[in-house]
Structures are given as C-alpha cells and as structure tokens.
Amino acid sequence: MATCEHLEGADAPAPVTPEGCAECLATGMRWVHLRKCLRCGHIGCCDSSPGRHATAHFRETGHPVIVSFEPGENWRWCYLDNLMDAHDGLA
C-alpha cells in the first residue's frame, strides 16, 4: 500500500470518547462504523453513518489522518492524499 507524509507522521492519541462517536452520543444519533482522528483522538462516525462526523471533523479541523476504530480492522486513511494504509493496530 502507498503512504504519505501524513500517514508516516500520524500519532496515536487516546480516544476522547471510547464509547462512540462524540457528536452522535451528544445528539442521540446512531452510527454504522467508528473512526479515530490520529491528531487529537476525536471519535467520529463513518461516511455510511447519517452524521458522517469523522469527515466533518476533518473539514472543521484539517486533521488529515483517521484510523478505523472497529475491532479487527487495521487501516488508516489520509483525507488530504486520499491514501489508505495498514497499520500495526496500536493507533
């Protein structure tokens, strides 16, 4: 898989709301899958979810890299370069 400077330099912050999408929890919405921002630890829902909060977080903050916050998934995505890569599961 390809990589970019954003993926290579991504951190592994603790999840801010490990119980689910921050915005969905606040509004009572439901999500399909969860994503974690590798800059600040924000947990947002995927683009298949009604709120699309992970992408909204990127648009609001410019934080470029997310990681799947789903058990058994081990990939990261860079919004700026439209690249995905596998990771070691420690993010």
Side-chain angles (χ1 to χ4, degrees):
M1 288 188 167
T3 190
C4 67
E5 66 183 89
H6 308 106
L7 290 167
E8 290 176 5
D11 293 325
V16 175
T17 54
E19 63 276 10
C21 173
E23 291 82 2
C24 288
L25 289 168
T27 62
M29 292 177 71
R30 296 194 181 268
W31 58 83
V32 178
H33 299 288
L34 297 173
R35 312 296 182 227
K36 181 175 80 166
C37 173
L38 291 184
R39 172 82 51 88
C40 68
H42 172 270
I43 302 297
C45 56
C46 70
D47 285 352
S48 295
S49 301
R52 299 178 179 174
H53 293 119
T55 297
H57 177 75
F58 160 69
R59 289 185 179 138
E60 292 169 11
T61 65
H63 296 169
V65 181
I66 58 170
V67 65
S68 175
F69 200 61
E70 294 296 316
E73 292 186 1
N74 64 343
W75 57 265
R76 301 178 302 174
W77 173 258
C78 176
Y79 284 104
L80 294 175
D81 295 313
N82 293 319
L83 287 175
M84 179 182 285
D85 80 345
H87 74 97
D88 59 15
L90 300 176

